Amino acid sequence: MTKKELVAAIAEDAGLKKADTEKMVDSFVKVVTDELTKGEKVSLVGFGTFETADRPAREGRNPRTGETMTIAACRNPKFKAGKALKDAVNA
């Protein structure tokens, strides 16, 4: 499902205009991104939790040359599905 399809589905389900729904989806993405950037968690009870995980620096190998290289430390966003979402998917 693309963003356009998501907006259309939400607009139809909620009985809203597509333009208003697109603003809401954009706002949701912005707020979640801002919170994760600050190192905060976003929890939607029953749906899941968005959070970040720190990955330490590590050594890797260039597959083409075989030489070792250092892979920099980073923070990765992750999503953990809530029980209600898991149950709905597995039903």
Side-chain angles (χ1 to χ4, degrees):
M1 176 177 269
T2 65
K3 179 182 173 186
K4 185 176 182 179
E5 294 168 339
L6 176 66
V7 167
I10 292 172
E12 183 179 328
D13 186 59
L16 300 171
K17 294 180 182 178
K18 286 184 183 179
D20 293 339
T21 305
E22 185 169 9
K23 287 179 187 176
M24 288 177 15
V25 169
D26 289 341
S27 180
F28 175 77
V29 170
K30 181 185 179 307
V31 169
V32 170
T33 301
D34 291 346
E35 290 301 308
L36 293 179
T37 301
K38 291 188 261 182
E40 300 292 327
K41 265 193 225 186
V42 178
S43 295
L44 302 172
V45 176
F47 183 71
T49 304
F50 297 91
E51 59 188 334
T52 58
D54 292 327
R55 291 187 69 179
R58 62 194 193 280
E59 280 198 8
R61 290 197 178 272
N62 181 331
R64 186 171 291 176
T65 64
E67 75 180 75
T68 60
M69 53 192 267
T70 301
I71 300 171
C74 64
R75 286 188 339 187
N76 286 340
K78 66 180 192 175
F79 175 76
K80 182 178 178 186
K83 184 177 181 342
L85 178 60
K86 288 179 189 177
D87 291 345
V89 169
N90 290 313

Coordinates of all heavy atoms in Angstrom, one line a residue:
M1 N 0.8 -1.2 0.0 CA 0.0 0.0 0.0 C 0.9 1.2 0.0 O 1.8 1.3 0.8 CB -0.9 0.0 1.2 CG -1.8 1.2 1.4 SD -2.9 1.2 2.8 CE -4.3 0.4 2.0
T2 N 0.6 2.1 -0.9 CA 1.4 3.4 -1.0 C 0.7 4.4 -0.1 O -0.4 4.2 0.4 CB 1.4 3.9 -2.4 OG1 0.0 4.3 -2.8 CG2 2.0 2.9 -3.4
K3 N 1.4 5.6 0.1 CA 0.8 6.7 0.9 C -0.5 7.1 0.3 O -1.5 7.4 1.0 CB 1.8 7.8 1.0 CG 1.3 9.0 1.8 CD 2.3 10.1 1.8 CE 1.7 11.4 2.4 NZ 2.5 12.5 2.3
K4 N -0.6 7.2 -1.0 CA -1.8 7.7 -1.7 C -2.9 6.8 -1.4 O -4.1 7.2 -1.1 CB -1.5 7.8 -3.2 CG -2.7 8.4 -4.0 CD -2.3 8.5 -5.4 CE -3.4 9.2 -6.2 NZ -3.0 9.4 -7.6
E5 N -2.7 5.4 -1.5 CA -3.7 4.5 -1.2 C -4.1 4.5 0.3 O -5.3 4.3 0.6 CB -3.2 3.1 -1.6 CG -3.0 2.9 -3.1 CD -2.2 1.6 -3.4 OE1 -1.5 1.1 -2.5 OE2 -2.3 1.2 -4.6
L6 N -3.1 4.7 1.2 CA -3.4 4.8 2.6 C -4.3 6.0 2.9 O -5.3 5.9 3.6 CB -2.1 4.9 3.4 CG -2.3 5.1 4.9 CD1 -2.9 3.9 5.5 CD2 -0.9 5.4 5.5
V7 N -4.0 7.1 2.3 CA -4.8 8.3 2.5 C -6.2 8.1 2.0 O -7.2 8.4 2.7 CB -4.1 9.5 1.8 CG1 -5.1 10.7 1.7 CG2 -2.9 9.9 2.5
A8 N -6.4 7.5 0.8 CA -7.7 7.2 0.3 C -8.5 6.3 1.2 O -9.7 6.5 1.4 CB -7.6 6.7 -1.1
A9 N -7.9 5.2 1.7 CA -8.5 4.3 2.6 C -9.0 4.9 3.9 O -10.1 4.7 4.3 CB -7.6 3.1 2.8
I10 N -8.1 5.7 4.5 CA -8.5 6.4 5.7 C -9.6 7.4 5.5 O -10.5 7.5 6.3 CB -7.2 7.1 6.4 CG1 -6.2 6.0 6.8 CG2 -7.6 7.9 7.5 CD1 -4.9 6.6 7.3
A11 N -9.5 8.2 4.4 CA -10.5 9.2 4.1 C -11.9 8.5 3.9 O -12.9 9.0 4.5 CB -10.1 9.9 2.9
E12 N -11.9 7.4 3.2 CA -13.2 6.7 3.0 C -13.7 6.1 4.3 O -14.9 6.2 4.6 CB -13.0 5.5 2.0 CG -14.2 4.8 1.7 CD -14.0 3.7 0.6 OE1 -13.1 3.9 -0.2 OE2 -14.7 2.7 0.7
D13 N -12.8 5.5 5.1 CA -13.2 4.9 6.4 C -13.8 5.9 7.4 O -14.7 5.6 8.1 CB -12.1 4.1 7.0 CG -12.5 3.3 8.2 OD1 -13.4 2.4 8.1 OD2 -11.9 3.5 9.3
A14 N -13.1 7.0 7.4 CA -13.5 8.1 8.4 C -14.5 9.1 7.9 O -15.0 9.9 8.6 CB -12.2 8.8 8.9
G15 N -14.7 9.0 6.6 CA -15.7 10.0 6.0 C -15.1 11.4 5.9 O -15.8 12.4 6.1
L16 N -13.8 11.5 5.7 CA -13.1 12.8 5.6 C -12.7 13.1 4.2 O -12.7 12.2 3.3 CB -11.9 12.8 6.5 CG -12.1 12.6 8.0 CD1 -10.8 12.4 8.7 CD2 -12.9 13.7 8.6
K17 N -12.3 14.3 3.9 CA -11.8 14.7 2.6 C -10.4 14.2 2.5 O -9.6 14.1 3.5 CB -11.8 16.2 2.5 CG -13.1 16.8 2.4 CD -13.0 18.3 2.3 CE -14.4 19.0 2.3 NZ -14.3 20.4 2.2
K18 N -10.0 13.8 1.3 CA -8.6 13.3 1.1 C -7.5 14.3 1.5 O -6.5 14.0 2.0 CB -8.4 12.8 -0.3 CG -9.1 11.6 -0.7 CD -8.8 11.1 -2.1 CE -9.6 9.9 -2.4 NZ -9.3 9.4 -3.8
A19 N -7.8 15.6 1.2 CA -6.8 16.6 1.5 C -6.6 16.7 3.0 O -5.4 16.9 3.5 CB -7.3 18.0 1.0
D20 N -7.7 16.7 3.8 CA -7.6 16.7 5.3 C -6.9 15.5 5.8 O -6.0 15.6 6.7 CB -8.9 16.9 5.9 CG -9.6 18.2 5.6 OD1 -8.9 19.1 5.2 OD2 -10.9 18.2 5.7
T21 N -7.2 14.4 5.2 CA -6.6 13.1 5.6 C -5.1 13.1 5.3 O -4.3 12.6 6.1 CB -7.3 11.9 5.0 OG1 -8.7 12.0 5.2 CG2 -6.7 10.6 5.5
E22 N -4.7 13.6 4.2 CA -3.3 13.7 3.8 C -2.5 14.5 4.8 O -1.4 14.2 5.2 CB -3.1 14.2 2.4 CG -1.6 14.1 2.0 CD -1.4 14.3 0.5 OE1 -2.4 14.7 -0.2 OE2 -0.3 14.1 0.1
K23 N -3.1 15.6 5.2 CA -2.5 16.5 6.2 C -2.3 15.8 7.6 O -1.3 15.9 8.2 CB -3.3 17.8 6.5 CG -3.2 18.8 5.4 CD -4.1 20.0 5.7 CE -4.2 20.9 4.5 NZ -5.1 22.0 4.7
M24 N -3.3 15.0 7.9 CA -3.2 14.2 9.2 C -2.1 13.1 9.1 O -1.3 13.0 10.0 CB -4.5 13.5 9.5 CG -5.6 14.5 9.9 SD -7.2 13.8 10.3 CE -7.0 12.1 10.4
V25 N -2.0 12.4 8.0 CA -1.0 11.4 7.8 C 0.4 12.1 7.8 O 1.3 11.6 8.5 CB -1.2 10.6 6.5 CG1 0.0 9.7 6.2 CG2 -2.5 9.8 6.6
D26 N 0.6 13.2 7.1 CA 1.8 13.9 7.1 C 2.2 14.4 8.5 O 3.4 14.3 8.9 CB 1.8 15.1 6.2 CG 1.8 14.7 4.7 OD1 2.1 13.5 4.4 OD2 1.4 15.5 3.9
S27 N 1.2 14.9 9.3 CA 1.4 15.3 10.6 C 1.9 14.2 11.5 O 2.8 14.3 12.3 CB 0.2 16.0 11.2 OG 0.4 16.4 12.5
F28 N 1.2 13.0 11.4 CA 1.5 11.8 12.2 C 3.0 11.4 11.9 O 3.8 11.2 12.9 CB 0.6 10.7 11.8 CG 1.0 9.4 12.5 CD1 0.7 9.2 13.8 CD2 1.6 8.4 11.8 CE1 1.0 8.0 14.5 CE2 2.0 7.2 12.4 CZ 1.7 7.0 13.8
V29 N 3.4 11.4 10.7 CA 4.7 11.0 10.3 C 5.7 12.0 10.9 O 6.8 11.6 11.4 CB 4.9 10.8 8.8 CG1 6.4 10.7 8.4 CG2 4.1 9.7 8.3
K30 N 5.4 13.3 10.8 CA 6.3 14.3 11.3 C 6.5 14.2 12.8 O 7.6 14.3 13.3 CB 5.8 15.7 10.9 CG 6.7 16.8 11.4 CD 6.1 18.2 11.1 CE 6.9 19.3 11.6 NZ 7.3 19.3 13.0
V31 N 5.4 14.0 13.5 CA 5.4 14.0 15.0 C 6.2 12.7 15.4 O 7.1 12.8 16.3 CB 4.0 14.0 15.6 CG1 4.0 13.6 17.1 CG2 3.4 15.3 15.4
V32 N 6.0 11.6 14.8 CA 6.7 10.4 15.2 C 8.2 10.6 14.9 O 9.1 10.2 15.7 CB 6.2 9.1 14.4 CG1 7.1 7.9 14.6 CG2 4.8 8.8 14.9
T33 N 8.5 11.1 13.7 CA 9.9 11.4 13.4 C 10.6 12.3 14.4 O 11.7 12.1 14.8 CB 10.0 12.0 11.9 OG1 9.4 11.1 11.0 CG2 11.5 12.2 11.5
D34 N 9.9 13.4 14.7 CA 10.5 14.4 15.7 C 10.7 13.7 17.0 O 11.8 13.9 17.7 CB 9.5 15.6 15.9 CG 9.5 16.5 14.6 OD1 10.3 16.3 13.7 OD2 8.5 17.3 14.6
E35 N 9.8 12.9 17.5 CA 9.9 12.2 18.8 C 11.1 11.2 18.8 O 11.9 11.1 19.7 CB 8.6 11.6 19.2 CG 7.6 12.5 19.6 CD 8.0 13.5 20.8 OE1 8.4 13.0 21.8 OE2 7.8 14.7 20.6
L36 N 11.2 10.5 17.7 CA 12.3 9.5 17.6 C 13.6 10.2 17.5 O 14.6 9.7 18.0 CB 12.1 8.6 16.4 CG 10.9 7.6 16.5 CD1 10.8 6.8 15.2 CD2 11.0 6.7 17.7
T37 N 13.7 11.3 16.8 CA 14.9 12.1 16.7 C 15.4 12.6 18.1 O 16.6 12.6 18.4 CB 14.7 13.3 15.8 OG1 14.3 12.9 14.5 CG2 15.9 14.2 15.6
K38 N 14.4 12.9 19.0 CA 14.7 13.3 20.3 C 15.1 12.2 21.2 O 15.4 12.3 22.4 CB 13.5 14.1 20.9 CG 13.3 15.5 20.3 CD 12.3 16.2 21.1 CE 10.9 16.1 20.5 NZ 9.9 16.8 21.2
G39 N 14.9 10.9 20.7 CA 15.2 9.8 21.5 C 14.0 9.3 22.3 O 14.1 8.4 23.2
E40 N 12.8 9.8 22.1 CA 11.6 9.4 22.8 C 10.9 8.2 22.1 O 11.2 7.9 21.0 CB 10.6 10.6 22.8 CG 11.2 11.8 23.5 CD 11.4 11.6 25.0 OE1 10.6 10.9 25.6 OE2 12.4 12.2 25.5
K41 N 10.0 7.6 22.8 CA 9.2 6.5 22.3 C 7.8 7.0 22.0 O 7.3 8.0 22.6 CB 8.9 5.5 23.4 CG 9.9 4.3 23.4 CD 9.2 3.3 24.4 CE 10.3 2.7 25.3 NZ 9.7 1.6 26.1
V42 N 7.1 6.4 21.0 CA 5.7 6.7 20.7 C 5.0 5.4 20.8 O 5.2 4.5 20.0 CB 5.6 7.3 19.2 CG1 4.1 7.6 18.9 CG2 6.4 8.6 19.1
S43 N 4.1 5.4 21.8 CA 3.3 4.1 22.0 C 1.8 4.4 21.7 O 1.2 5.3 22.1 CB 3.4 3.7 23.5 OG 4.7 3.4 23.8
L44 N 1.3 3.5 20.8 CA -0.1 3.5 20.5 C -0.7 2.2 21.1 O -0.4 1.1 20.5 CB -0.3 3.6 19.0 CG 0.3 4.8 18.3 CD1 0.2 4.7 16.8 CD2 -0.4 6.0 18.8
V45 N -1.4 2.2 22.2 CA -1.8 1.0 22.9 C -2.6 0.2 21.9 O -3.5 0.6 21.3 CB -2.6 1.4 24.1 CG1 -3.2 0.2 24.8 CG2 -1.8 2.2 25.1
G46 N -2.3 -1.1 21.9 CA -3.0 -2.0 21.0 C -2.4 -2.1 19.6 O -2.6 -3.1 18.9
F47 N -1.7 -1.1 19.1 CA -1.2 -1.0 17.8 C 0.3 -1.4 17.9 O 0.8 -2.3 17.2 CB -1.4 0.3 17.1 CG -0.9 0.4 15.7 CD1 -1.5 -0.3 14.7 CD2 0.3 1.1 15.4 CE1 -1.0 -0.3 13.4 CE2 0.7 1.1 14.1 CZ 0.1 0.5 13.1
G48 N 1.1 -0.6 18.6 CA 2.5 -0.9 18.7 C 3.3 0.3 19.2 O 2.7 1.4 19.6
T49 N 4.6 0.2 19.3 CA 5.5 1.2 19.8 C 6.6 1.5 18.8 O 7.2 0.6 18.2 CB 6.1 0.7 21.1 OG1 5.1 0.4 22.0 CG2 7.1 1.8 21.7
F50 N 6.8 2.8 18.5 CA 7.9 3.2 17.7 C 9.0 3.7 18.6 O 8.8 4.4 19.6 CB 7.5 4.4 16.8 CG 6.4 4.1 15.8 CD1 5.1 4.3 16.1 CD2 6.8 3.7 14.5 CE1 4.1 4.0 15.2 CE2 5.8 3.4 13.6 CZ 4.4 3.6 13.9
E51 N 10.3 3.2 18.4 CA 11.4 3.6 19.3 C 12.7 3.5 18.5 O 12.7 3.0 17.3 CB 11.4 2.8 20.5 CG 11.6 1.3 20.4 CD 11.4 0.6 21.7 OE1 11.7 1.1 22.7 OE2 11.1 -0.6 21.6
T52 N 13.8 3.9 19.1 CA 15.1 3.8 18.4 C 15.9 2.8 19.1 O 15.7 2.6 20.3 CB 15.8 5.2 18.4 OG1 16.0 5.7 19.7 CG2 15.0 6.2 17.5
A53 N 16.8 2.2 18.4 CA 17.8 1.3 19.0 C 19.2 1.8 18.6 O 19.4 2.1 17.4 CB 17.6 -0.1 18.5
D54 N 20.1 1.8 19.5 CA 21.5 2.2 19.3 C 22.3 1.0 18.8 O 22.2 -0.1 19.4 CB 22.2 2.8 20.5 CG 21.6 4.1 20.9 OD1 21.1 4.9 20.0 OD2 21.5 4.4 22.1
R55 N 23.0 1.2 17.7 CA 23.9 0.2 17.1 C 25.3 0.6 17.3 O 25.7 1.7 16.8 CB 23.6 -0.1 15.6 CG 22.2 -0.7 15.4 CD 22.1 -1.1 14.0 NE 23.0 -2.2 13.7 CZ 23.0 -2.8 12.5 NH1 22.3 -2.4 11.5 NH2 23.9 -3.8 12.3
P56 N 26.1 -0.1 18.0 CA 27.5 0.3 18.2 C 28.3 0.2 16.9 O 27.9 -0.5 16.0 CB 28.0 -0.7 19.3 CG 27.2 -1.9 19.1 CD 25.8 -1.4 18.6
A57 N 29.4 0.9 16.9 CA 30.4 0.8 15.8 C 30.9 -0.6 15.8 O 31.0 -1.3 16.8 CB 31.5 1.8 15.9
R58 N 31.2 -1.1 14.6 CA 31.7 -2.5 14.4 C 32.5 -2.6 13.2 O 32.5 -1.7 12.3 CB 30.5 -3.5 14.4 CG 29.6 -3.2 13.2 CD 28.3 -4.0 13.3 NE 27.5 -4.1 12.1 CZ 26.8 -3.1 11.6 NH1 26.7 -2.0 12.2 NH2 26.1 -3.3 10.5
E59 N 33.2 -3.7 13.1 CA 34.1 -3.9 12.0 C 33.3 -4.8 11.0 O 32.6 -5.7 11.3 CB 35.4 -4.6 12.4 CG 36.4 -3.7 12.9 CD 37.8 -4.3 12.9 OE1 38.0 -5.4 12.4 OE2 38.7 -3.6 13.5
G60 N 33.5 -4.4 9.7 CA 32.9 -5.2 8.7 C 33.9 -5.4 7.6 O 35.1 -5.0 7.7
R61 N 33.5 -6.1 6.5 CA 34.4 -6.4 5.4 C 33.8 -5.9 4.1 O 32.6 -6.1 3.9 CB 34.7 -7.9 5.3 CG 35.6 -8.4 6.4 CD 36.1 -9.8 5.9 NE 37.0 -10.3 7.0 CZ 38.3 -10.0 7.1 NH1 38.9 -9.2 6.2 NH2 39.0 -10.5 8.0
N62 N 34.6 -5.3 3.3 CA 34.1 -4.9 2.0 C 34.0 -6.2 1.1 O 35.0 -6.9 1.0 CB 35.1 -4.0 1.3 CG 34.7 -3.5 -0.1 OD1 34.0 -4.2 -0.8 ND2 35.2 -2.3 -0.4
P63 N 32.8 -6.6 0.7 CA 32.7 -7.9 0.0 C 33.5 -8.0 -1.3 O 33.8 -9.1 -1.7 CB 31.2 -8.0 -0.2 CG 30.6 -6.6 -0.1 CD 31.6 -5.9 0.8
R64 N 33.7 -6.8 -1.9 CA 34.4 -6.9 -3.2 C 35.9 -7.0 -3.0 O 36.6 -7.8 -3.7 CB 34.2 -5.6 -4.0 CG 34.8 -5.6 -5.3 CD 34.3 -4.4 -6.2 NE 32.9 -4.5 -6.5 CZ 32.1 -3.7 -7.1 NH1 32.7 -2.5 -7.4 NH2 30.9 -3.9 -7.3
T65 N 36.5 -6.3 -2.0 CA 38.0 -6.4 -1.9 C 38.4 -7.3 -0.7 O 39.5 -7.7 -0.6 CB 38.5 -5.0 -1.6 OG1 38.0 -4.4 -0.4 CG2 38.2 -4.0 -2.8
G66 N 37.5 -7.5 0.3 CA 37.8 -8.3 1.4 C 38.5 -7.5 2.5 O 38.8 -8.1 3.6
E67 N 38.8 -6.2 2.3 CA 39.5 -5.5 3.3 C 38.5 -5.1 4.5 O 37.3 -4.9 4.2 CB 40.1 -4.2 2.8 CG 39.2 -3.1 2.4 CD 39.9 -1.9 1.8 OE1 40.4 -2.0 0.7 OE2 40.0 -0.9 2.6
T68 N 39.1 -5.0 5.7 CA 38.2 -4.6 6.8 C 38.0 -3.1 6.8 O 38.8 -2.4 6.4 CB 38.9 -5.1 8.2 OG1 40.1 -4.4 8.3 CG2 39.0 -6.6 8.2
M69 N 36.8 -2.8 7.4 CA 36.5 -1.4 7.5 C 35.6 -1.2 8.7 O 35.0 -2.2 9.2 CB 35.7 -0.9 6.2 CG 34.5 -1.8 5.9 SD 33.8 -1.4 4.3 CE 32.6 -0.2 4.7
T70 N 35.6 0.0 9.2 CA 34.8 0.3 10.4 C 33.4 0.8 10.0 O 33.3 1.8 9.2 CB 35.5 1.3 11.3 OG1 36.7 0.8 11.7 CG2 34.6 1.6 12.5
I71 N 32.4 0.2 10.5 CA 31.0 0.7 10.2 C 30.6 1.6 11.4 O 30.7 1.1 12.6 CB 30.0 -0.5 10.1 CG1 30.5 -1.4 8.9 CG2 28.6 0.0 9.9 CD1 29.8 -2.7 8.8
A72 N 30.2 2.8 11.2 CA 30.0 3.8 12.2 C 28.8 3.4 13.1 O 27.8 2.7 12.6 CB 29.7 5.1 11.6
A73 N 28.8 3.9 14.3 CA 27.6 3.7 15.2 C 26.5 4.5 14.7 O 26.6 5.5 14.0 CB 28.0 4.1 16.6
C74 N 25.2 4.0 14.9 CA 24.1 4.8 14.5 C 22.9 4.4 15.4 O 22.9 3.5 16.1 CB 23.8 4.5 13.0 SG 23.3 2.7 12.7
R75 N 21.8 5.2 15.2 CA 20.5 4.9 15.8 C 19.5 4.5 14.8 O 19.4 5.2 13.8 CB 20.0 6.1 16.6 CG 20.7 6.4 17.8 CD 20.1 7.5 18.7 NE 19.2 8.4 18.0 CZ 18.6 9.4 18.5 NH1 18.9 9.7 19.7 NH2 17.8 10.2 17.8
N76 N 18.9 3.4 14.9 CA 17.9 2.9 13.9 C 16.5 2.9 14.5 O 16.3 2.5 15.7 CB 18.2 1.4 13.5 CG 19.4 1.3 12.6 OD1 19.8 2.3 12.0 ND2 20.0 0.2 12.6
P77 N 15.6 3.4 13.8 CA 14.2 3.3 14.2 C 13.7 1.9 14.2 O 14.1 1.1 13.3 CB 13.4 4.2 13.3 CG 14.2 4.2 12.0 CD 15.7 4.0 12.5
K78 N 12.8 1.6 15.1 CA 12.2 0.2 15.0 C 10.8 0.3 15.5 O 10.4 1.2 16.2 CB 13.0 -0.8 15.9 CG 13.0 -0.6 17.3 CD 13.9 -1.7 18.0 CE 13.7 -1.7 19.5 NZ 14.4 -2.8 20.1
F79 N 10.0 -0.7 15.1 CA 8.6 -0.8 15.5 C 8.3 -2.1 16.1 O 8.7 -3.2 15.6 CB 7.7 -0.6 14.3 CG 6.2 -0.8 14.5 CD1 5.5 0.2 15.2 CD2 5.6 -1.9 14.2 CE1 4.2 0.0 15.4 CE2 4.2 -2.1 14.4 CZ 3.5 -1.1 15.1
K80 N 7.7 -2.1 17.3 CA 7.3 -3.4 17.9 C 5.8 -3.4 17.9 O 5.1 -2.6 18.5 CB 7.8 -3.4 19.4 CG 7.5 -4.7 20.1 CD 8.1 -4.7 21.5 CE 7.7 -6.0 22.1 NZ 8.1 -6.0 23.6
A81 N 5.2 -4.4 17.3 CA 3.8 -4.6 17.2 C 3.2 -4.9 18.5 O 3.7 -5.6 19.3 CB 3.4 -5.6 16.2
G82 N 2.0 -4.3 18.8 CA 1.2 -4.6 20.0 C 0.4 -5.9 19.9 O 0.3 -6.4 18.8
K83 N -0.1 -6.3 21.0 CA -0.8 -7.6 21.1 C -2.0 -7.6 20.2 O -2.3 -8.6 19.5 CB -1.2 -7.9 22.5 CG -1.9 -9.3 22.7 CD -2.2 -9.6 24.1 CE -2.8 -10.9 24.3 NZ -3.4 -11.6 23.3
A84 N -2.8 -6.5 20.2 CA -4.0 -6.5 19.4 C -3.7 -6.5 17.9 O -4.4 -7.2 17.2 CB -4.8 -5.2 19.7
L85 N -2.6 -5.9 17.5 CA -2.2 -5.9 16.1 C -1.8 -7.3 15.7 O -2.1 -7.9 14.7 CB -1.1 -4.9 15.8 CG -0.6 -4.9 14.4 CD1 -1.7 -4.6 13.4 CD2 0.5 -3.9 14.2
K86 N -1.0 -7.9 16.6 CA -0.5 -9.3 16.3 C -1.7 -10.3 16.2 O -1.7 -11.1 15.3 CB 0.5 -9.8 17.4 CG 1.8 -9.1 17.4 CD 2.6 -9.6 18.6 CE 3.9 -8.9 18.8 NZ 4.7 -9.4 19.9
D87 N -2.6 -10.1 17.2 CA -3.8 -11.0 17.2 C -4.6 -10.8 15.9 O -5.1 -11.8 15.3 CB -4.6 -10.8 18.4 CG -4.0 -11.2 19.7 OD1 -3.0 -12.0 19.6 OD2 -4.4 -10.8 20.8
A88 N -4.8 -9.6 15.4 CA -5.6 -9.3 14.2 C -4.9 -9.9 13.0 O -5.5 -10.5 12.1 CB -5.7 -7.8 14.1
V89 N -3.6 -9.8 12.9 CA -2.8 -10.3 11.8 C -2.9 -11.9 11.7 O -3.0 -12.5 10.7 CB -1.4 -9.8 11.8 CG1 -0.5 -10.6 10.8 CG2 -1.3 -8.3 11.5
N90 N -2.8 -12.5 12.9 CA -2.8 -13.9 13.0 C -4.2 -14.6 13.0 O -4.3 -15.8 13.1 CB -2.0 -14.4 14.2 CG -0.5 -14.1 14.0 OD1 0.0 -14.4 13.0 ND2 0.1 -13.5 15.0
A91 N -5.2 -13.8 13.0 CA -6.6 -14.4 13.1 C -7.0 -14.9 11.8 O -6.6 -14.6 10.7 CB -7.6 -13.3 13.5

